[in-house]
Amino acid sequence: MKPKQNTILLFLIFIICSFLTITPLNKSVKNAATDMLVKTRGDQHVNPNLLFVYIGQEDIQALNGWPITRDYYAYITHILKTSGVRVIAFDLLFDTPDKRYPEYDADFAEFLQSDVNIALPMVYSDFQLSDTDTTGEFIQGQNPRYPVAEFKNHADALGFSNLGDETIVRSVPVTALFENKPVFSFGLELARLYLSVPEEQINVTKKSILMNRDGQELIKVPIDKHGQLCLYHLGNISSVNSIGFVDLLTTLQNNPDSLNLSDKLVYIAVTSPGLAPLKVTPFSSAFPASLLHLTVAENIIGKKFIKHLSVWPDILICFLIFIGVVFFSRDYKRTIITAGVFFIIYLILVYLLFRTMLVVLPVFWPLTSLVLSLAAIGLLKIRQRQKKDMARKNILRGRITEKEKELFFAQQKYDEIFNQLNAEKLEKQTISEKAQQQLEQKQKDILLLKNQLDDLYVYETTKSESEKVVNSEIVHTDKSPLVHILNMIKKISADDIPVLILGETGSGKELVARCIHQNSHRNDKQFIAVNCGALSETLLESELFGHEKGSFTGAQAQRRGRFELADGGTLFLDEVTETSSAFQAKLLRVLQEGTFERLGSEKTLKVDVRIIAATGRNIQDEIAAERFRMDLYYRLNGFPVQLPPLRDRKMDIPALVEHFLFKYTNDKSFSFSEQIIKQLSAYSFPGNVRELENIVRHAALLAKSEGRHLLQSRDLPQDILKNHTPTGYVELEDQILESLRTLEFSHSAISKTAKALGNRDRGTITEYFKGICFKYYYENDFDQDKAARIIAGSAETQIVQKVTSKLKEYLKNLSLPSRELSETDFQNLPQLKGLPQKYHEYAIEIIKYFLNKENDDF
């Protein structure tokens, strides 16, 4: 992947996310983040000195209906005063006199003159943003409605109760303008009275309200440009210390000592449905509006102010993410893991800072930036992999074309010689021995070219060649003899019938046993496998039945046997024919009765175990030779399963090769040639599937070490090649490389190699070696050191240095074109003159890489 391309794309994502932080969308994003943090926090601890006295439906009924006569308000004011409260707040708009009971108004007005701080609300009929230059952007209040004069004049504080027009209440105005002078909200006035802050010692700025006392700053209330305070919501109503109006009157009258109201702020408001307006908050869709004023007071008294940061932290964190992703982008998996760990830690930090300091760190834009950056890097890697695969296919296609031409000309030559021989036979009635040898040699050459061509064709597996049985590793095709066996396994899995699996070593007996267990009703219990042939009789008996402490030398503690461990599940006895007759008799008893004793114990244990046995021997021969008990055979042979050897299921080889290749490379770009399948299909596989797995692993290791993604016949073990290869032909490239390695790349190695290979031209050997260097340099992702080590075929420093020096010299001679070239121009570059055709594509890809690198400033 080009680093410059990475950087440009990631920087573009950073710029887009940074730009979005200054758009109106950012406000919605911050609101959502704050809501999430508040909800995560849950209900908070509310100041215990705040008491909410609610007037509910039951209170109204007990006090003879609505409106409540004001003598009750006068009475509660009186008894609260005697209880030592600091502030009494009535969230009731007393804007009209009571014409029926004017005497109650007089009584209430009289009690309002007490030395207790009394707060009353007022309301503006018109409440909107000002459009005058002199008032800034604070909300403008117009057409005020005050309490009646006799109440207004005796109240210690009047505050507006307007809450703004937000759909979801996150912020409320705490200051507004009336006749170009600042006025304060009901909630702020409650806090002012409770904190004993004189009204004249409150200063309003564009960003805060400063509350001073005795000439010193007491509280700094942060506000936005409209004079609003971001609320730190109390939570649900249940989190507030509250009591009903009538209950309070009754308690204070009958048992006043049960309530400690000293120095409290008592807030009285109506909550009865239909009388009290409701608002939507992040906590509730029906929250009493009156409690929002109490929330303001509680926030100010407790200095609980949510701190929203400016856009710069968003931009800074997005920039750090940009730097981090650029730094780690070469290792995508590491980038993903690092990003995940970083963001988990960051979210924990976000939560802790909010809980402890009420600071809202940016979340959405950094997360968006990170996700988009990772997605972009992933897409670029996929594109780069596709491009590299395409280049690799083009090179392979070029080699195939070259080999097809050789085959075509060889076939032509063969036909020419064949026609000459026919003419000679007609003329002389005989064919010379030399001519016959020439014809046979051409036949061998054609066969060799066909094999080489098959070794370049990628084998395309069909869908049926990659099927698997659910919950197993048994790979097979739809034409495989395993299909019938696996269908039978599904039928018998639900039953507890004993199963005897017969098959050669490496044919997958344990896999079949696991498949039976996984498809049975015992699949939630243990599957225990024991290799009976790997243990002596004493150890095997201890392994299966367990032993008591001291039952034999070395038995230092009690141990449970495999039968106990497999209770309720399945016990797989592999190579059961390798046991002695005495042990077979003990095993027969356990299978018949389901009971056994641990070694050294007299206590009989009973277990419920399903038995699956297996053997690689001919069990009938073992019975005839009296090495295996017939009665045990009949006990185990409830349902026999004969597994075919791999030589009888050659159609499964491509699917198995594909399965094992991905298992050991974890890379779907690896493939294998048609020639490999032909050679493997001609092999007998005495070790069956287990041997095939090792062969594929061996071949994958060799291909990866040379930077190839195509497994070819040269990657197979010599035993397979000897059994299949019809000729000892070795490609000229391999002959040259082997000779140079033998000569340790000395100064005379080229000349000696040319002479050893039939007095060839020295220049031809040099050009081939140059092409070999280009090939390995490209296939190893342009890594000079790695390519040099593979070409050298040795770990000796001096030899590797010689190869590195030659590689650097050849690469330096690939001078870069001075202008942009088309694909046709690339094919006619002078640097390719003399270089064998098969290496042209490698050289072109290297030149393109150097051109891109020259323009890359990262």
Side-chain angles (χ1 to χ4, degrees):
M1 187 187 305
K2 300 176 184 177
K4 183 177 180 181
Q5 188 179 15
N6 273 6
T7 307
I8 292 174
L9 182 58
L10 294 175
F11 187 72
L12 181 61
I13 292 172
F14 161 67
I15 292 297
I16 292 173
C17 290
S18 299
F19 172 75
L20 290 173
T21 61
I22 61 175
T23 64
L25 179 62
N26 195 42
K27 182 179 179 181
S28 300
V29 167
K30 284 193 173 183
N31 286 339
T34 307
D35 290 350
M36 177 189 68
L37 288 170
V38 170
K39 289 177 181 178
T40 305
R41 178 213 69 189
D43 292 340
Q44 67 156 322
H45 176 70
V46 180
N47 190 328
N49 286 326
L50 303 182
L51 177 63
F52 175 46
V53 179
Y54 57 87
I55 303 174
Q57 186 66 37
E58 292 180 356
D59 298 290
I60 293 173
Q61 291 176 357
L63 299 175
N64 302 318
W66 186 261
I68 299 173
T69 56
R70 289 171 183 167
D71 57 330
Y72 289 109
Y73 302 134
Y75 180 66
I76 200 168
T77 302
H78 169 69
I79 59 175
L80 287 175
K81 172 189 173 183
T82 58
S83 299
V85 299
R86 187 185 300 187
V87 178
I88 302 173
F90 289 95
D91 189 9
L92 298 161
L93 188 60
F94 301 115
D95 59 339
T96 58
D98 190 342
K99 295 180 180 180
R100 293 182 302 165
Y101 306 105
E103 65 276 15
Y104 293 161
D105 282 4
D107 292 340
F108 185 40
E110 181 181 350
F111 284 115
L112 290 178
Q113 299 180 53
S114 64
D115 54 357
V116 177
N117 292 316
I118 304 292
L120 296 177
M122 48 82 63
V123 66
Y124 291 107
S125 301
D126 190 5
F127 199 68
Q128 60 185 1
L129 287 176
S130 172
D131 56 0
T132 63
D133 296 334
T134 58
T135 58
E137 297 183 0
F138 282 176
I139 296 174
Q140 179 79 34
Q142 296 178 359
N143 302 323
R145 291 170 56 196
Y146 294 105
V148 296
E150 55 187 324
F151 299 159
K152 174 185 175 185
N153 296 333
H154 297 142
D156 296 283
L158 285 173
F160 64 84
S161 59
N162 303 76
L163 292 171
D165 55 359
E166 281 190 334
T167 305
I168 300 177
V169 180
R170 300 183 178 92
S171 302
V172 295
V174 292
T175 184
L177 292 174
F178 177 64
E179 297 179 351
N180 292 336
K181 293 181 180 180
V183 292
F184 304 120
S185 72
F186 188 49
L188 188 141
E189 288 287 359
L190 296 182
R192 181 182 70 79
L193 291 179
Y194 186 82
L195 296 170
S196 302
V197 175
E199 187 174 359
E200 62 272 11
Q201 291 195 29
I202 297 181
N203 298 322
V204 180
T205 68
K206 289 184 177 181
K207 293 185 178 180
S208 62
I209 298 174
L210 303 176
M211 303 180 71
N212 304 311
R213 189 171 63 192
D214 300 329
Q216 295 183 348
E217 182 181 306
L218 183 64
I219 293 178
K220 185 177 183 179
V221 182
I223 57 175
D224 64 13
K225 62 182 180 179
H226 301 312
Q228 298 187 114
L229 170 67
C230 182
L231 293 181
Y232 185 59
H233 284 280
L234 305 179
N236 294 311
I237 301 175
S238 59
S239 65
V240 183
N241 186 20
S242 60
I243 187 173
F245 189 87
V246 173
D247 288 341
L248 179 62
L249 287 174
T250 304
T251 304
L252 289 175
Q253 184 177 10
N254 300 329
N255 190 14
D257 295 334
S258 63
L259 287 176
N260 180 16
L261 300 178
S262 178
D263 283 335
K264 290 194 183 315
L265 188 158
V266 178
Y267 186 83
I268 303 170
V270 178
T271 59
S272 176
L275 295 176
L278 299 175
K279 291 288 186 177
V280 179
T281 71
F283 269 102
S284 174
S285 59
F287 192 79
S290 55
L291 271 179
L292 294 173
H293 300 301
L294 188 61
T295 302
V296 172
E298 201 271 348
N299 286 179
I300 295 174
I301 293 169
K303 298 182 181 180
K304 299 176 181 178
F305 304 125
I306 293 177
K307 304 172 186 67
H308 283 114
L309 304 179
S310 65
V311 299
W312 291 111
D314 288 78
I315 296 174
L316 176 61
I317 295 174
C318 288
F319 180 74
L320 293 176
I321 288 173
F322 158 70
I323 295 296
V325 175
V326 168
F327 180 78
F328 288 109
S329 62
R330 297 179 185 276
D331 188 341
Y332 189 62
K333 290 183 179 179
R334 185 181 175 189
T335 304
I336 292 288
I337 295 172
T338 304
V341 172
F342 160 77
F343 222 82
I344 290 172
I345 295 174
Y346 182 71
L347 289 178
I348 293 173
L349 177 63
V350 169
Y351 179 73
L352 291 177
L353 274 180
F354 184 76
R355 286 301 302 265
T356 57
M357 303 174 63
L358 298 185
V359 174
V360 180
L361 288 178
V363 176
F364 181 79
W365 297 120
L367 177 60
T368 301
S369 175
L370 183 62
V371 171
L372 290 178
S373 298
L374 294 177
I377 292 295
L379 290 174
L380 282 176
K381 280 193 170 289
I382 292 173
R383 183 181 174 187
Q384 181 238 3
R385 190 182 299 116
Q386 291 173 341
K387 191 173 181 180
K388 192 171 182 179
D389 288 344
M390 185 60 66
R392 191 182 296 118
K393 288 178 181 178
N394 288 337
I395 291 174
L396 190 60
R397 196 176 295 116
R399 295 177 64 184
I400 290 173
T401 301
E402 180 184 354
K403 196 63 66 177
E404 286 176 340
K405 288 181 180 178
E406 290 183 34
L407 180 60
F408 174 76
F409 290 125
Q411 189 67 50
Q412 278 190 330
K413 190 66 177 177
Y414 173 81
D415 293 341
E416 181 182 334
I417 295 174
F418 184 77
N419 291 334
Q420 288 177 354
L421 289 177
N422 280 341
E424 183 180 342
K425 185 176 181 180
L426 290 173
E427 181 180 349
K428 299 180 179 180
Q429 300 297 317
T430 184
I431 301 175
S432 66
E433 184 178 348
K434 182 178 181 181
Q436 186 66 39
Q437 289 177 350
Q438 285 182 336
L439 186 63
E440 291 176 357
Q441 184 59 46
K442 278 299 171 186
Q443 287 178 325
K444 290 182 180 180
D445 291 344
I446 290 172
L447 180 60
L448 179 61
L449 286 171
K450 287 181 178 179
N451 289 336
Q452 292 173 352
L453 197 56
D454 288 341
D455 213 15
L456 295 175
Y457 287 133
V458 176
Y459 187 90
E460 300 291 341
T461 56
T462 62
K463 183 178 180 181
S464 64
E465 288 176 332
S466 300
E467 292 182 354
K468 293 184 183 180
V469 173
V470 179
N471 298 328
S472 81
E473 290 280 334
I474 303 176
V475 181
H476 68 287
T477 64
D478 53 5
K479 303 294 184 183
S480 172
L482 284 181
V483 172
H484 173 70
I485 294 173
L486 295 173
N487 287 335
M488 294 303 297
I489 285 174
K490 291 179 182 179
K491 294 178 181 179
I492 67 171
S493 292
D495 194 272
D496 284 339
I497 186 172
V499 178
L500 179 61
I501 304 174
L502 307 172
E504 297 180 4
T505 180
S507 58
K509 296 186 289 295
E510 185 171 341
L511 287 179
V512 171
R514 288 186 182 276
C515 181
I516 295 171
H517 173 74
Q518 289 166 357
N519 286 276
S520 73
H521 64 89
R522 297 173 178 262
N523 56 13
D524 59 335
K525 300 295 184 179
Q526 288 270 27
F527 174 88
I528 303 293
V530 179
N531 188 338
C532 299
L535 300 170
S536 65
E537 182 174 344
T538 302
L539 289 177
L540 180 58
E541 190 172 348
S542 171
E543 187 75 14
L544 288 178
F545 306 134
H547 60 256
E548 296 292 334
K549 180 179 179 180
S551 57
F552 57 85
T553 303
Q556 298 179 358
Q558 184 190 75
R559 182 183 179 186
R560 298 168 64 197
R562 296 306 179 104
F563 270 100
E564 286 184 75
L565 295 175
D567 190 19
T570 303
L571 181 64
F572 174 58
L573 302 175
D574 196 11
E575 302 301 340
V576 69
T577 54
E578 303 299 318
T579 56
S580 67
S581 297
F583 179 80
Q584 291 171 23
K586 296 178 182 178
L587 181 61
L588 179 63
R589 178 191 165 223
V590 178
L591 298 182
Q592 287 174 337
E593 301 176 7
T595 60
F596 64 93
E597 294 84 28
R598 294 196 191 108
L599 288 179
S601 173
E602 297 179 355
K603 181 180 178 180
T604 300
L605 302 174
K606 187 172 182 63
V607 291
D608 173 25
V609 175
R610 180 180 189 173
I611 298 296
I612 301 178
T615 180
R617 293 179 180 270
N618 187 318
I619 198 165
Q620 296 297 339
D621 292 345
E622 295 299 305
I623 293 172
E626 297 184 351
R627 289 190 293 266
F628 195 77
R629 293 174 64 100
M630 183 176 292
D631 49 0
L632 179 59
Y633 166 71
Y634 288 128
R635 176 63 63 178
L636 295 175
N637 194 36
F639 193 95
V641 175
Q642 179 69 56
L643 294 184
L646 185 57
R647 60 182 173 274
D648 291 341
R649 42 182 289 233
K650 295 292 182 70
M651 69 292 294
D652 292 340
I653 288 178
L656 289 164
V657 172
E658 183 181 57
H659 173 74
F660 293 134
L661 183 58
F662 181 74
K663 177 180 177 180
Y664 291 111
T665 63
N666 197 31
D667 188 344
K668 291 184 178 181
S669 65
F670 276 83
S671 55
F672 44 93
S673 70
E674 293 183 356
Q675 183 66 8
I676 272 193
I677 298 302
K678 289 182 179 179
Q679 290 170 320
L680 291 176
S681 299
Y683 184 58
S684 61
F685 285 105
N688 291 289
V689 179
R690 187 180 296 122
E691 183 182 8
L692 176 61
E693 181 175 2
N694 289 331
I695 289 171
V696 174
R697 186 176 186 180
H698 168 273
L701 186 63
L702 291 180
K704 286 175 69 176
S705 68
E706 296 183 6
R708 288 184 287 109
H709 284 66
L710 178 66
L711 270 62
Q712 296 179 300
S713 57
R714 56 177 163 166
D715 300 320
L716 297 177
Q718 288 299 316
D719 291 342
I720 297 178
L721 296 177
K722 288 177 183 178
N723 289 338
H724 177 75
T725 307
T727 176
Y729 175 81
V730 180
E731 287 195 51
L732 181 58
E733 171 188 312
D734 296 331
Q735 294 181 49
I736 292 172
L737 187 57
E738 183 62 31
S739 175
L740 293 175
R741 285 172 175 171
T742 302
L743 297 170
E744 298 184 348
F745 299 91
S746 63
H747 291 295
S748 59
I750 295 291
S751 300
K752 290 180 179 179
T753 297
K755 185 176 181 180
L757 298 179
N759 290 321
R760 289 179 178 270
D761 181 63
R762 187 177 183 277
T764 300
I765 303 301
T766 300
E767 292 297 326
Y768 259 94
F769 181 53
K770 185 188 297 183
I772 291 170
C773 289
F774 292 159
K775 171 186 173 183
Y776 282 97
Y777 179 64
Y778 170 79
E779 289 182 345
N780 288 279
D781 293 328
F782 311 106
D783 186 331
Q784 288 187 8
D785 294 336
K786 186 177 180 182
R789 288 195 301 271
I790 293 174
I791 295 170
S794 170
E796 291 187 24
T797 305
Q798 291 183 346
I799 298 177
V800 174
Q801 286 178 346
K802 291 177 185 178
V803 176
T804 302
S805 176
K806 275 295 181 183
L807 177 58
K808 289 182 177 178
E809 177 187 338
Y810 293 149
L811 293 175
K812 185 178 180 181
N813 292 336
L814 280 179
S815 56
L816 302 181
S818 58
R819 58 187 176 85
E820 293 187 3
L821 302 177
S822 65
E823 289 298 325
T824 304
D825 294 332
F826 271 113
Q827 299 294 336
N828 297 320
L829 285 173
Q831 294 94 317
L832 305 183
K833 187 176 180 181
L835 190 70
Q837 180 69 34
K838 66 188 293 185
Y839 301 115
H840 283 194
E841 291 296 332
Y842 296 110
I844 290 171
E845 291 297 325
I846 293 171
I847 292 172
K848 289 180 180 179
Y849 170 73
F850 285 152
L851 285 172
N852 290 332
K853 190 174 181 182
E854 187 180 66
N855 297 323
D856 196 341
D857 59 2
F858 181 74

